[in-house]
Amino acid sequence: MKFVPLMRAALLVSALAVIPSATAGLAAVDSRVNPEFDKLFHIYALIKANYVDPVDDDKLLKGAIDGMLASLDPHSNYLDGPSLQRLETMIDGNYSGLGLSVVEDDGAVKVISPFKGSPAEKAGIKAGDYITHINGTLYYERDLDEAVSKMRGPAGSTVKLTIYRPGRDEPFDVTVTRGVIELEPVTSELKDDDVGYVSVNEFSRDVGRDVAKAVVSLKKEAALKGTAMVGLVLDLRSNPGGSLDEAVALSDLFLDHGVIVSQRGRVASENQFYRAETMFKGDALKGLPIIVLVDAGSASASEIVAGALQDQHRAVIMGERTFGKGSVQSFLPLDDTSAIKLTTARYYTPSGHSVQEGGIEPDIEVPQLSDPDARVRAENAVRESDLRGHLVNEAALKDKDLETDKKNDPRFDVSAEQLEKEGIKDFQLHYAIATLQRTAGKPALAKASPKPAAQNAAKTN
């Protein structure tokens, strides 16, 4: 098993470090170091001697390791066999399955977000859904890797999922046809002939350079249409994160000075500050306004970019409060087939704000009105602060500080049915485009886009 691919990116991981040996330089741990370890060995002996069935040593060892890491935080865990293979296939971004990002939530399988364009998204699975049954089998308080492996399978085959969706009275079944998941990290399109749109699905290799190329292409396309770009919408919704280096590169694309993010751990001398180095020769948009779209599925590296552009007053953040994962994991190989993923640092935005638990608050909060279930799902969206044993923010955030999502804003008193009649399939994107057009002095096409949003965008930029 090779660990080199683990240096590239990982789901919901903001930064990766591979340390050659997990035991190098450490003293042997036995009862002479800490007498409490006698209790562990004593329990092991009692189980081996008295449990109703014979127990394999490997099972007990894995259980002890899992227990130690689970007591720390949700992102520190032991990786071997299926769990390590799952991570590697997610990193490679090429596997057969449904295209879902899921977590275990109080014993249940909960969807963080479906990948854009995936079979799961096309089948209508949404962030916040609970998968209760897979092909009729109940999955509750079972190993998450087992559930994931059951959802994967050959492209073209089908799997029946039973979904519980908050806000609906009864669970319902969805049959999904598996496909080959080949994630396209960066896609772009010119909207209304003058607004650039770039969607980043994950922070894998070369995302910064791919976005730079997309910006150049969008400018040329606008010029060919006899117009000029009035701004850019950078879509980071449902982006679970990935490589720290690519988050820095993408931020650097629009910044020409200042701190992008800092990484601070247990030892102050090992803290790192990442600064704009104008690797793309300054601001690629030359000051044109930027709106960054985020939601509860925007995590980790996505939050680094949103936090950097927000603190540097380079972009308006729009949408919903982000996931709130502000920690850095390191990979420590144990041998050729196993490793541990351990939280080793927190990251901070340029202003010194930790997004851990609280996430990034949008400058303009905009609900996804084109989705009839969005409001209920937003209230039930899983975030870092909902995960059992999550790392606590040093600022000691209170529950009320983590539940500030606005509801029933009178500015957005419009139904999904009304938007559908007007041909608006993505209200948040529609609102962002209209806001940029108002900022540029162009009459907006959206009746639902109030002037205050455009005024805020103009002030921030």
Side-chain angles (χ1 to χ4, degrees):
M1 188 74 66
K2 296 181 179 180
F3 290 93
V4 173
L6 297 178
M7 299 177 69
R8 296 206 301 269
L11 189 66
L12 294 180
V13 175
S14 59
L16 297 178
V18 178
I19 300 175
S21 173
T23 56
L26 298 180
V29 176
D30 58 26
S31 59
R32 292 171 296 177
V33 176
N34 188 337
E36 284 295 308
F37 277 92
D38 272 338
K39 188 183 295 183
L40 178 65
F41 299 135
H42 183 56
I43 292 172
Y44 163 80
L46 289 174
I47 293 171
K48 292 290 288 184
N50 298 291
Y51 189 67
V52 62
D53 294 318
V55 184
D56 184 70
D57 282 351
D58 288 341
K59 181 176 182 179
L60 292 177
L61 179 60
K62 185 178 185 303
I65 295 172
D66 286 340
M68 280 192 289
L69 291 167
S71 70
L72 302 176
D73 69 89
H75 307 295
S76 294
N77 47 55
Y78 175 62
L79 303 170
D80 74 338
S83 58
L84 191 59
Q85 184 179 15
R86 175 187 169 205
L87 179 61
E88 289 185 316
T89 54
M90 289 300 296
I91 289 170
D92 290 339
N94 189 333
Y95 63 94
S96 295
L98 306 183
L100 279 174
S101 171
V102 297
V103 295
E104 182 181 346
D105 182 29
D106 286 333
V109 179
K110 190 169 187 177
V111 177
I112 292 180
S113 64
F115 297 137
K116 295 174 185 175
S118 67
E121 184 188 52
K122 292 175 182 176
I125 297 174
K126 301 180 184 295
D129 284 348
Y130 289 89
I131 300 172
T132 62
H133 297 72
I134 302 173
N135 286 331
T137 301
L138 175 66
Y139 274 83
Y140 179 71
E141 292 190 342
R142 298 174 71 165
D143 186 71
L144 183 63
D145 286 321
E146 182 183 351
V148 170
S149 67
K150 291 295 182 183
M151 287 187 280
R152 286 193 181 153
S157 62
T158 61
V159 58
K160 185 175 77 172
L161 306 179
T162 302
I163 305 294
Y164 168 73
R165 179 170 296 166
R168 299 237 182 146
D169 294 334
E170 299 291 337
F172 57 93
D173 292 336
V174 176
T175 298
V176 188
T177 301
R178 298 181 179 98
V180 176
I181 310 301
E182 294 181 347
L183 298 178
E184 189 175 1
V186 177
T187 57
S188 61
E189 182 181 352
L190 189 66
K191 302 286 189 178
D192 291 348
D193 294 342
D194 61 1
V195 174
Y197 172 74
V198 174
S199 175
V200 181
N201 298 323
E202 62 170 355
F203 284 86
S204 56
R205 181 182 295 177
D206 294 331
V207 159
R209 295 190 182 279
D210 288 346
V211 174
K213 292 176 182 177
V215 168
V216 172
S217 177
L218 289 168
K219 285 182 175 180
K220 289 181 179 178
E221 185 177 351
L224 288 173
K225 293 179 179 292
T227 63
M229 274 176 52
V230 298
L232 177 75
V233 177
L234 177 62
D235 193 349
L236 300 181
R237 292 174 297 176
S238 299
N239 183 323
S243 166
L244 170 64
D245 289 341
E246 293 304 325
V248 170
L250 179 53
S251 302
D252 195 5
L253 180 62
F254 305 115
L255 297 172
D256 53 18
H257 69 280
V259 172
I260 292 173
V261 66
S262 61
Q263 178 179 314
R264 310 177 199 176
R266 191 164 162 180
V267 181
S269 62
E270 297 179 0
N271 293 344
Q272 298 184 55
F273 288 79
Y274 299 85
R275 303 176 186 277
E277 297 178 349
T278 63
M279 63 182 297
F280 298 106
K281 298 181 180 179
D283 179 1
L285 287 175
K286 309 299 182 186
L288 281 178
I290 302 171
I291 289 179
V292 179
L293 288 178
V294 296
D295 61 12
S298 304
S300 189
S302 297
E303 294 172 295
I304 288 176
V305 174
L309 298 182
Q310 184 180 56
D311 281 5
Q312 296 282 17
H313 305 291
R314 183 60 192 91
V316 168
I317 312 302
M318 184 179 288
E320 302 161 5
R321 180 166 62 89
T322 62
F323 186 81
K325 182 180 182 295
S327 59
V328 179
Q329 279 66 49
S330 297
F331 283 90
L332 292 79
L334 300 174
D335 52 39
D336 288 343
T337 60
S338 62
I340 65 171
K341 180 159 66 77
L342 191 66
T343 299
T344 54
R346 291 178 172 88
Y347 68 76
Y348 296 80
T349 68
S351 66
H353 167 67
S354 169
V355 304
Q356 180 63 22
E357 286 193 281
I360 299 291
E361 289 285 350
D363 300 305
I364 304 173
E365 187 141 6
V366 179
Q368 183 57 298
L369 299 181
S370 48
D371 183 343
D373 299 310
R375 284 181 175 172
V376 175
R377 288 191 299 104
E379 293 172 11
N380 293 277
V382 61
R383 290 184 170 91
E384 177 78 8
S385 56
D386 300 312
L387 301 182
R388 184 183 300 172
H390 64 269
L391 200 65
V392 175
N393 190 297
E394 292 175 314
L397 299 177
K398 298 178 181 179
D399 287 344
K400 65 180 181 65
D401 298 324
L402 303 176
E403 298 173 357
T404 56
D405 300 309
K406 298 179 179 66
K407 304 173 183 68
N408 301 321
D409 189 323
R411 293 182 303 161
F412 304 117
D413 188 16
V414 58
S415 68
E417 291 76 15
Q418 180 182 341
L419 292 172
E420 186 176 3
K421 289 179 181 178
E422 295 180 15
I424 299 172
K425 297 180 180 180
D426 184 341
F427 178 75
Q428 290 174 325
L429 176 57
H430 176 79
Y431 190 94
I433 292 171
T435 298
L436 287 171
Q437 290 172 336
R438 287 187 185 276
T439 302
K442 176 181 177 180
L445 300 177
K447 296 179 181 179
S449 300
K451 292 182 180 179
Q455 292 167 355
N456 289 339
K459 289 179 182 177
T460 305
N461 284 291

